[in-house]
């Protein structure tokens, strides 16, 4: 799969916002493997433990601790490091947190995106920007069809709404500024991403891992909620392929893209947990009858556009995604002194061989 990126990242300066998070850490490791000079801008790791610290990424890439809401600091980073490609992952990513802290969620996810796009258009080095949002940016009608890139933005809760707003910001900046400046600008939407190294609150797999490690049942809110589950390397491969193609054809690829799993991986929460329990060898489920916050029951993406125009398609089925995820955690908990960076590289290399 290295050839799928045409060695485009070798020697390139790539800036990642949100590099200390789960997806940002995986993306940093993959880009480093591809020969990129990686510059990360983010808050401190949001969890303890964190994949960022476990893999000692502060020793391997340029690590800048800063807030995406700090426009002046962010702009100075762009001017100092002169990145060529930007992946914007920094976000407040949790639905339930957004109910408690809606203002912070909008400031981070909407104005943080504005700050990023303002900073990027002020330096001549930037050639392509990929803004990562979410499948929840769509107006969810609870229908059985996958959402397409032409469907309207929406969002019931503050988090989903803020991501829909971010998509509108990207579209406005593309039409108003980026086209005339010759900078490629795209947005990318993925499903429910799983993989080793995620310890975030209110996420299914991290909650499962915590429950197993503490010998207690996992408490779930909505066992029949259906989501597009995918291993973290699936959407990251889409982001990387999109970024590489944007450099050579700015107009064709500067729009929105879905990177979701095949329909066979659209499973409900209970089914995914049963796969986790089977792979881990232990665990149990308990339904939280007291939780009444709204969450979508059915949500999936249509990735036909990415298949046809990016030649991208998912590699892992649900079983493989869960197996690789659980194997990462089992390796970590078995021997925490062993280099998880090397093990993570091995998982990336195994994915590339498919």
């Amino acid at each position: 799969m290295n050839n799928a990126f045409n060695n485009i990242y070798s020697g390139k300066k790539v800036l990642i916002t949100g590099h200390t998070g789960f997806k940002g850490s995986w993306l940093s490791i993959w880009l480093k493997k591809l020969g990129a000079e990686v510059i990360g801008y983010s808050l401190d790791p949001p969890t303890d433990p964190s994949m960022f610290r476990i893999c000692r990424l502060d020793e391997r890439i340029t690590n800048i601790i800063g807030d995406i809401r700090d426009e002046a600091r962010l702009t100075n980073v762009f001017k100092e490091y002169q990145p060529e490609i930007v992946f914007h992952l920094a976000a407040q990513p949790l639905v339930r947190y957004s109910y408690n802290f809606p203002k912070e969620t909008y400031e981070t996810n909407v104005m943080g995106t504005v700050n990023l796009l303002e900073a990027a258009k002020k330096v001549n080095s930037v050639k392509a920007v990929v803004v990562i949002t979410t499948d929840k940016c769509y107006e969810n009608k609870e229908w059985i069809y996958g959402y397409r890139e032409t469907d309207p933005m929406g969002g019931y809760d503050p988090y989903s709404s803020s991501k829909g707003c971010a998509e509108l910001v990207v579209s406005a900046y593309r039409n108003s500024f980026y086209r005339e400046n010759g900078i490629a600008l795209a947005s990318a939407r993925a499903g429910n991403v799983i993989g080793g190294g995620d310890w975030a609150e209110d996420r299914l797999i991290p909650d499962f891992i915590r429950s197993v490690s503490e010998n207690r049942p996992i408490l779930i809110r909505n066992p029949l909620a259906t989501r597009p589950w995918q291993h973290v390397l699936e959407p990251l491969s889409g982001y990387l392929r999109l970024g590489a193609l944007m450099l050579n054809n700015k107009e064709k690829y500067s729009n929105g893209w879905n990177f979701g799993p095949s329909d066979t991986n659209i499973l409900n929460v209970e089914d995914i947990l049963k796969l986790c329990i089977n792979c881990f060898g232990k665990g149990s489920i308990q339904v939280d009858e007291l939780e009444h916050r709204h969450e979508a029951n059915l949500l999936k993406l249509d990735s036909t556009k990415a298949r046809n125009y990016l030649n991208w398609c998912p590699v892992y089925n649900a079983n493989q995604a869960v197996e690789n995820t659980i194997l990462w955690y089992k390796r970590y908990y078995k021997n925490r002194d062993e280099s998880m960076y090397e093990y993570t590289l091995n998982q990336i290399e195994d994915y590339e061989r498919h």
Side-chain angles (χ1 to χ4, degrees):
M1 189 175 288
N2 276 4
N3 292 333
F5 309 132
N6 296 320
N7 297 315
I8 198 73
Y9 293 103
S10 181
K12 292 285 196 306
K13 288 186 177 182
V14 182
L15 187 144
I16 304 173
T17 69
H19 70 292
T20 60
F22 163 56
K23 286 174 72 176
S25 294
W26 275 92
L27 182 58
S28 298
I29 293 169
W30 201 345
L31 279 165
K32 181 75 174 174
K33 179 182 181 297
L34 294 171
E37 180 183 339
V38 181
I39 303 109
Y41 181 91
S42 180
L43 296 174
D44 283 318
T47 62
D48 185 20
S50 72
M51 186 167 182
F52 181 82
R53 290 197 177 102
I54 288 166
C55 294
R56 300 193 297 275
L57 289 181
D58 58 329
E59 302 171 9
R60 305 178 191 277
I61 66 172
T62 300
N63 174 39
I64 303 167
I65 301 302
D67 196 319
I68 197 69
R69 294 171 293 181
D70 187 343
E71 183 184 358
R73 176 89 191 282
L74 183 62
T75 300
N76 287 336
V77 168
F78 269 83
K79 291 178 178 178
E80 179 178 354
Y81 290 94
Q82 297 286 306
E84 300 163 78
I85 305 169
V86 179
F87 291 96
H88 176 45
L89 283 75
Q92 190 300 96
L94 301 174
V95 172
R96 288 213 295 180
Y97 187 95
S98 76
Y99 279 107
N100 296 324
F101 302 98
K103 184 171 182 288
E104 177 188 338
T105 299
Y106 283 106
E107 287 173 346
T108 302
N109 295 351
V110 183
M111 290 311 300
T113 300
V114 171
N115 292 342
L116 180 283
L117 295 177
E118 280 291 317
K121 72 184 180 70
K122 291 176 181 176
V123 294
N124 294 328
S125 63
V126 176
K127 302 297 186 294
V129 179
V130 180
V131 174
I132 311 305
T133 62
T134 174
D135 56 346
K136 297 176 182 64
C137 68
Y138 291 107
E139 181 183 345
N140 192 353
K141 302 180 185 296
E142 300 277 353
W143 57 27
I144 62 172
Y145 312 105
Y147 290 93
R148 298 168 296 179
E149 289 85 351
T150 53
D151 286 322
M153 298 294 106
Y156 182 99
D157 57 87
Y159 166 72
S160 303
S161 168
S162 72
K163 287 298 194 175
C165 291
E167 286 281 356
L168 297 178
V169 166
V170 170
S171 178
Y173 267 74
R174 179 191 302 118
N175 295 329
S176 301
F177 309 111
Y178 275 56
R179 278 201 173 98
E180 66 184 38
N181 291 349
I183 304 173
L185 174 59
S187 60
R189 306 135 194 180
N192 278 36
V193 174
I194 65 175
D198 188 5
W199 278 277
E201 296 291 334
D202 292 328
R203 284 191 187 150
L204 188 64
I205 302 301
D207 286 348
F208 170 77
I209 294 298
R210 278 187 289 267
S211 71
V212 169
S213 66
E214 297 167 7
N215 292 312
R216 58 176 174 78
I218 177 174
L219 195 63
I220 57 174
R221 302 185 293 272
N222 190 349
L224 300 182
T226 302
R227 299 286 185 271
W229 307 97
Q230 57 190 150
H231 192 272
V232 63
L233 293 176
E234 303 278 31
L236 294 188
S237 71
Y239 306 162
L240 289 169
R241 181 147 182 79
L242 174 61
L245 290 170
M246 287 166 67
L247 291 178
N248 296 320
N249 194 324
K250 295 179 176 61
E251 190 63 31
K252 181 177 181 179
Y253 300 107
S254 288
N255 40 73
W257 299 88
N258 290 341
F259 297 103
S262 61
D263 282 348
T264 57
N265 288 356
I266 312 297
L267 304 177
N268 66 38
V269 168
E270 186 174 18
D271 288 338
I272 280 291
L273 283 176
K274 287 178 179 178
L275 289 178
C276 291
I277 291 169
N278 182 64
C279 187
F280 209 102
K282 62 178 181 177
S284 59
I285 302 170
Q286 180 180 334
V287 178
D288 184 357
E289 303 291 352
L290 300 178
E291 177 59 52
H292 298 296
R293 291 289 195 188
H294 174 273
E295 285 191 79
N297 286 307
L298 179 62
L299 184 61
K300 62 180 181 177
L301 294 173
D302 183 330
S303 302
T304 303
K305 179 181 172 184
R307 292 171 185 266
N308 290 341
Y309 294 101
L310 302 181
N311 196 28
W312 175 90
C313 65
V315 169
Y316 290 150
N317 59 35
N319 284 312
Q320 291 170 309
V322 169
E323 181 181 14
N324 279 280
T325 298
I326 298 302
L327 285 174
W328 195 101
Y329 286 110
K330 290 179 78 170
R331 185 69 165 261
Y332 170 72
Y333 282 108
K334 181 179 180 181
N335 186 357
R336 302 187 192 200
D337 295 330
E338 186 178 347
S339 173
M340 291 307 296
Y341 182 81
E342 295 301 326
Y343 186 73
T344 302
L345 281 176
N346 289 339
Q347 287 204 332
I348 292 173
E349 289 167 359
D350 180 70
Y351 181 85
E352 289 176 335
R353 284 191 286 269
H354 282 73

